[in-house]
Amino acid sequence: MGDAPPTYLPYGNNTLEVCFSGEVNSAGIWENLSYPSVFLSYPLPRLELQILLTFLCSHFIYLIVKPLGITFFATQMLAGLLLGHTVLGKLDTVNELLFSQRSGIEIIDTTGLFGFVMFMFLMGVKMDLTVAFRSTKRAAVIGFISILAPITVGLIIFEAFKKPEQSKEVNLERLLGTTIESLTSFSVIACLLSELNILNSELGRLALSASAIADVGTLILVFIFSSMAKWAIAPSVAAVNTAGSIAFVVILFFVCRPVMFWVIKTTPDGKPIKEVYIMFIVMMAIGSSIFTHFFSDSPLIGAFVFGLSVPDGPPLGSALVDKLECFVNGVFLAVFTTTSTMRVDVKSMMENRSTFLFSIIFVCVTFLAKVISCFIATFWSLMPLKDSLAFALIMSSKGIVELSYFCSFIDNKIMSTATFSVLVLGILVNSTIVPVLVKLLYDPDSRRYAGYEKRTLMHLKPDSEIRVLACTHRSENVSTIIELLDLTCPTKESPQVVFALHIVELKGRDSPVFIAHQKNENSALSSLENIFAYNQYEQNNWDSVTVYAFTAISPPKLMHEDICTMALNKQTSFIILPFHRKFSTDGSVEDENSMMRNVNCSVLDRAPCSVGILIDRGVDDRGKKTLKTSSRMPTCSIGMLFIGGKDDREALTLAKRMARDPQVNLTVIRLIADHHYSGNIMDWDGILDSEVLKDVKQKNEVGNSCNIMYAEEVSNDGPQAAGVIRSIVNNYDLIIVGRRYKVESVQTMGLAEWCEFPELGVVGDLLVSTDLDSSVSVLVVQQQYYVELGRAR
């Protein structure tokens, strides 16, 4: 405790407590074996029990309400209500066990505040300020409208309810409440979009751009208004504080930021940032919050601004996020949200009827003002009705940032408990209802693949242009994909348009990035070495190939959205995906990327055109060999295994296109079953199979220059099919098969039970097995899955 209160007490208190005895320690459970509960009188075990209780309570509630579409943040607030004065806090046992000692409450509040400081630091690290400056005119207009409209309407309501005898404290409380309710927080919207899995959708990108502009505008307004208030009270102190704030920002962005770029530059490619640098940056984040608090600003602002100065993305920003985010968001942030909501006192809300009425009215009015203004701005720019309404709801969402403001107000005695309770319950209602409504209004998949034409290789005319989306994740994928593209025999009469997409995992930032690269672009992006290879391929085939290069940086669970959206927008007929496994020269698995496997599976389920997964095993003791030509033979030998069905017909169509190349030898091997096993009845698929094989058998319609052979092998079960494949696999440089997912056939009966990779089908899975002594590359083809009105084929 302080010896005497300060001379100036802004809130009229008689005493001011500046510290208390709060050592976080414990003598252990063995201090008094007769009374084990004694150890709970120590702050440390009490803190641990409080954290455990908030964790269990929030996750238990989330387990119940998750099917309803309620977010985890809302369940943390519900847990706070459950543990607070409204419900369980009334029970003497709970109150005595957890919250009877003030030191215990102060310590968990301090723990939660520390966690929120680190959360704001991470939000600053992940926020890309360039999003605000490179935003479109529409995003800029919406960003400013989302702030100005609710503030204007809120001020009108404030003046309408203002009374002559109203105290300055009430005026300040209502003005601050109106201002915070009008905010549009980038962090809140980014978390909401991520939880709804629409972060890189068209709506999500627009919301991130608009909220980034609104957030920057809010920071500027807060700085201006707070500086004006300080200058009005004490000009000399305000001058020192303003100079300190400006010096703080200058040092961060013109001294610390270049030093962090030097750290990145001195770190070898592919190597992690040294631990000493990570620890030093974390300590600087804590020091920044202390610095801004010393100059009468919120410690949250110091941590957030320092986070903005940290270069986002890999290797530094991503390293900080990887090391801190899990613990900060999973433990500290949950404690902050729950303990903040525990302060809600429903009983005190009704003590002052006018305060309660005004709080309800301005919460509803500012929300409606923001919804209506954002809806009009987007609907006026020709966005569909439901999308405009969903976007307006997203921009009006409330979350942890607004909750932190209200907590700071009640801590500083600026806001009453009654007003605080109403506003926090408003955040709870908002965070519960808005995500559910957005899910009902906006489902990009339901329309994205609805009502478009079939885009498959089979539906292309023989000499028409072929448009291919080639996806790469690692540089070693590029050469084999280019060789496969070259095998499709592009000519001047049948040109090829390639959309080369480099997919990169989003790390250390909130905003997904989509880059359209220009020809002869000179940049330091790591994806450019892949782009150069594609540009070289275009130059080597200048009269028949056109290449457009792109880079998509997005979260792993949303990468397939970038791929499918580009395939739809560019009207491609075929998507090439690299297999998630990398094989070594001896045929063993060198590396396995589970993230890429999930992307491949998602694309197969959603793609608006045909898809091919390319498995590159074309290596020997001397290194990589090409598909086009090998050291063993002057031509490329391709085998096509045909069993029957849509996927096999699509794969055969691609193989016949490759056979136009005079350097390609194509062998079509059809696996047939004895009539004793298959019967004599031919279904519609069988008729189509016979029709597509007719020209292969007769060697007429594919041209005289083609070198095509046709053979039939008998297979009455899976083991027999495996034997056939083993006997022929080493005769080819590339084998093409159809996926035939969940298609039962006599020829492969029993293989599905041993299938390790369902995305390749039973035959493709057998061909990539490490038990198969072969270096043949494999292409697994699936015909377009969605065909009309979003229904599966």
Side-chain angles (χ1 to χ4, degrees):
M1 297 290 293
D3 294 332
T7 56
Y8 172 65
L9 295 173
Y11 307 115
N13 299 325
N14 294 323
T15 58
L16 180 67
E17 183 179 6
V18 295
C19 65
F20 64 93
S21 177
E23 297 180 359
V24 185
N25 58 11
S26 170
I29 194 173
W30 307 109
E31 179 186 15
N32 193 332
L33 295 178
S34 301
Y35 300 96
S37 60
V38 171
F39 85 102
L40 286 178
S41 62
Y42 292 97
L44 179 58
R46 185 178 292 271
L47 174 64
E48 293 171 343
L49 187 59
Q50 289 168 340
I51 293 176
L52 178 63
L53 188 59
T54 58
F55 180 83
L56 293 177
C57 188
S58 59
H59 279 76
F60 177 73
I61 296 175
Y62 185 61
L63 184 66
I64 297 174
V65 301
K66 183 180 179 180
L68 302 177
I70 297 176
T71 61
F72 189 57
F73 171 75
T75 59
Q76 290 173 343
M77 295 191 70
L78 288 172
L81 280 179
L82 182 64
L83 295 173
H85 301 292
T86 307
V87 187
L88 294 181
K90 293 181 178 180
L91 302 177
D92 294 337
T93 304
V94 177
N95 196 30
E96 178 69 23
L97 183 63
L98 296 178
F99 309 111
S100 59
Q101 297 186 17
R102 184 175 180 189
S103 61
I105 298 175
E106 296 287 353
I107 290 173
I108 194 172
D109 284 345
T110 304
T111 304
L113 181 60
F114 171 77
F116 189 70
V117 168
M118 298 308 299
F119 170 78
M120 292 304 296
F121 165 65
L122 291 178
M123 288 296 102
V125 172
K126 294 193 290 184
M127 184 176 177
D128 185 4
L129 276 179
T130 59
V131 173
F133 298 106
R134 67 167 182 256
S135 300
T136 61
K137 182 180 178 181
R138 180 171 70 164
V141 170
I142 294 172
F144 287 116
I145 286 178
S146 67
I147 299 177
L148 297 178
I151 284 183
T152 303
V153 174
L155 291 177
I156 294 174
I157 296 297
F158 169 76
E159 291 296 332
F161 279 79
K162 189 176 181 180
K163 298 178 182 179
E165 69 277 7
Q166 197 164 275
S167 64
K168 292 182 179 179
E169 289 78 7
V170 174
N171 289 338
L172 179 61
E173 176 188 273
R174 294 184 176 183
L175 281 174
L176 288 174
T178 302
T179 303
I180 301 305
E181 284 292 325
S182 304
L183 295 184
T184 302
S185 173
F186 176 87
S187 302
V188 171
I189 290 178
C191 292
L192 175 63
L193 295 173
S194 178
E195 192 151 359
L196 294 177
N197 290 329
I198 56 173
L199 191 64
N200 63 343
S201 64
E202 181 183 0
L203 208 65
R205 293 179 188 273
L206 180 60
L208 286 176
S209 298
S211 62
I213 293 173
D215 225 1
V216 172
T218 300
L219 282 176
I220 296 173
L221 288 176
V222 168
F223 177 76
I224 293 174
F225 289 155
S226 61
S227 298
M228 291 173 59
K230 293 174 185 176
W231 280 90
I233 297 173
S236 58
V237 176
V240 174
N241 291 344
T242 303
S245 300
I246 294 174
F248 173 69
V249 174
V250 170
I251 291 173
L252 286 186
F253 285 91
F254 294 97
V255 178
C256 296
R257 186 174 173 87
V259 170
M260 286 185 274
F261 274 114
W262 174 83
V263 170
I264 294 174
K265 186 178 180 180
T266 56
T267 302
D269 291 339
K271 298 293 184 180
I273 300 292
K274 293 182 179 179
E275 291 290 335
V276 62
Y277 295 137
I278 299 294
M279 294 302 300
F280 185 71
I281 291 173
V282 173
M283 295 304 296
M284 286 189 66
I286 299 173
S288 297
S289 64
I290 297 173
F291 180 86
T292 53
H293 185 61
F294 178 77
F295 283 96
S296 301
D297 283 325
S298 171
L300 303 176
I301 295 178
F304 180 71
V305 175
F306 178 73
L308 291 177
S309 68
V310 177
D312 62 326
L316 184 55
S318 59
L320 288 167
V321 173
D322 289 342
K323 290 181 178 296
L324 300 176
E325 187 173 39
C326 181
F327 194 68
V328 169
N329 289 3
V331 179
F332 286 134
L333 198 61
V335 170
F336 176 79
T337 306
T338 305
T339 55
S340 299
T341 315
M342 286 167 59
R343 299 183 179 189
V344 172
D345 188 356
V346 177
K347 184 179 179 180
S348 67
M349 291 167 47
M350 303 302 297
E351 292 178 353
N352 191 322
R353 184 178 177 84
S354 62
T355 301
F356 176 75
L357 182 63
F358 176 80
S359 301
I360 292 291
I361 290 176
F362 89 76
V363 166
C364 296
V365 169
T366 52
F367 174 78
L368 290 175
K370 182 172 289 191
V371 169
I372 293 172
S373 60
C374 292
F375 172 78
I376 293 175
T378 51
F379 189 67
W380 187 263
S381 60
L382 304 180
M383 183 179 286
L385 179 65
K386 286 187 175 182
D387 289 6
S388 299
L389 186 55
F391 177 82
L393 289 171
I394 291 172
M395 294 296 291
S396 305
S397 59
K398 304 297 176 188
I400 195 166
V401 174
E402 291 80 9
L403 180 63
S404 69
Y405 275 111
F406 296 144
C407 288
S408 65
F409 293 158
I410 196 172
D411 286 338
N412 293 318
K413 311 298 183 183
I414 299 175
M415 183 173 285
S416 65
T417 303
T419 303
F420 171 82
S421 300
V422 174
L423 297 182
V424 171
L425 289 178
I427 294 176
L428 174 59
V429 173
N430 182 293
S431 61
T432 301
I433 295 178
V434 166
V436 177
L437 293 178
V438 172
K439 280 186 177 181
L440 293 175
L441 291 170
Y442 186 69
D443 182 11
D445 289 344
S446 64
R447 294 162 310 175
R448 182 176 297 167
Y449 308 112
Y452 54 81
E453 296 179 356
K454 294 180 180 180
R455 289 208 297 271
T456 66
L457 298 174
M458 289 187 64
H459 288 84
L460 291 177
K461 295 180 180 179
D463 292 327
S464 64
E465 175 188 80
I466 180 172
R467 302 169 73 86
V468 181
L469 174 59
C471 303
T472 59
H473 179 62
R474 296 181 292 201
S475 57
E476 56 262 24
N477 305 141
V478 178
S479 59
T480 309
I481 290 178
I482 290 178
E483 293 162 9
L484 179 65
L485 290 170
D486 199 22
L487 279 175
T488 59
C489 194
T491 61
K492 188 175 182 180
E493 294 74 20
S494 180
Q496 182 186 83
V497 179
V498 179
F499 300 95
L501 179 63
H502 184 203
I503 50 178
V504 182
E505 182 180 359
L506 182 69
K507 289 184 176 181
R509 52 167 68 102
D510 266 334
S511 304
V513 180
F514 189 84
I515 304 170
H517 297 282
Q518 304 298 321
K519 300 291 184 181
N520 302 319
E521 184 177 9
N522 185 15
S523 173
L525 291 173
S526 60
S527 59
L528 285 191
E529 59 179 283
N530 304 334
I531 296 169
F532 290 151
Y534 282 106
N535 289 339
Q536 186 64 43
Y537 170 63
E538 180 184 23
Q539 293 174 11
N540 295 339
N541 301 272
W542 62 270
D543 59 340
S544 58
V545 175
T546 305
V547 173
Y548 300 96
F550 304 88
T551 296
I553 307 175
S554 57
K557 62 182 179 181
L558 298 177
M559 283 180 177
H560 66 277
E561 297 287 353
D562 287 325
I563 297 172
C564 295
T565 300
M566 171 162 278
L568 184 67
N569 294 338
K570 302 302 181 182
Q571 299 181 348
T572 61
S573 299
F574 195 59
I575 299 173
I576 301 176
L577 300 171
F579 191 50
H580 69 278
R581 272 187 173 179
K582 179 181 178 182
F583 293 92
S584 61
T585 55
D586 60 358
S588 61
V589 178
E590 181 178 329
D591 186 30
E592 189 163 350
N593 190 335
S594 58
M595 179 198 75
M596 199 61 211
R597 183 187 180 188
N598 294 333
V599 173
N600 290 348
C601 293
S602 298
V603 172
L604 288 171
D605 290 339
R606 300 165 181 262
C609 62
S610 297
V611 182
I613 297 181
L614 179 60
I615 300 96
D616 179 17
R617 297 183 68 172
V619 291
D620 56 20
D621 293 338
R622 291 163 293 182
K624 184 178 289 295
K625 70 176 183 180
T626 64
L627 297 175
K628 186 74 173 179
T629 58
S630 71
S631 59
R632 295 183 288 104
M633 56 185 71
T635 59
C636 178
S637 182
I638 298 177
M640 194 276 143
L641 285 171
F642 190 93
I643 300 175
K646 292 183 178 181
D647 293 345
D648 280 7
R649 293 194 292 270
E650 186 78 359
L652 181 59
T653 303
L654 177 62
K656 289 192 290 186
R657 179 178 282 268
M658 294 178 176
R660 298 176 182 177
D661 192 327
Q663 287 187 317
V664 171
N665 287 328
L666 173 64
T667 303
V668 178
I669 304 103
R670 185 179 187 183
L671 295 182
I672 60 174
D674 288 339
H675 294 302
H676 175 72
Y677 293 92
S678 60
N680 296 320
I681 300 176
M682 180 175 289
D683 58 4
W684 179 247
D685 263 343
I687 296 173
L688 294 177
D689 292 341
S690 299
E691 184 66 25
V692 77
L693 286 168
K694 184 184 299 183
D695 58 343
V696 176
K697 295 178 180 179
Q698 297 176 355
K699 297 184 181 181
N700 51 13
E701 295 183 9
V702 293
N704 294 329
S705 61
C706 296
N707 190 3
I708 301 179
M709 296 183 60
Y710 176 78
E712 291 184 352
E713 296 284 347
V714 176
S715 174
N716 297 319
D717 53 27
Q720 197 169 355
V724 172
I725 292 172
R726 290 179 185 276
S727 65
I728 65 172
V729 69
N730 288 318
N731 298 333
Y732 307 102
D733 300 304
L734 173 68
I735 292 183
I736 303 175
V737 297
R739 183 189 181 198
R740 306 183 73 250
Y741 181 56
K742 290 185 177 181
V743 177
E744 299 289 341
S745 62
V746 175
Q747 296 93 318
T748 58
M749 187 176 299
L751 289 180
E753 299 176 6
W754 305 96
C755 185
E756 184 179 3
F757 303 112
E759 66 269 24
L760 302 181
V762 293
V763 177
D765 179 79
L766 181 63
L767 288 168
V768 301
S769 172
T770 54
D771 297 332
L772 191 69
D773 186 18
S774 173
S775 63
V776 65
S777 295
V778 182
L779 179 65
V780 179
V781 178
Q782 174 187 276
Q783 197 180 66
Q784 179 185 9
Y785 192 82
Y786 288 88
V787 289
E788 52 184 279
L789 298 179
R791 293 180 298 181
R793 55 180 179 170

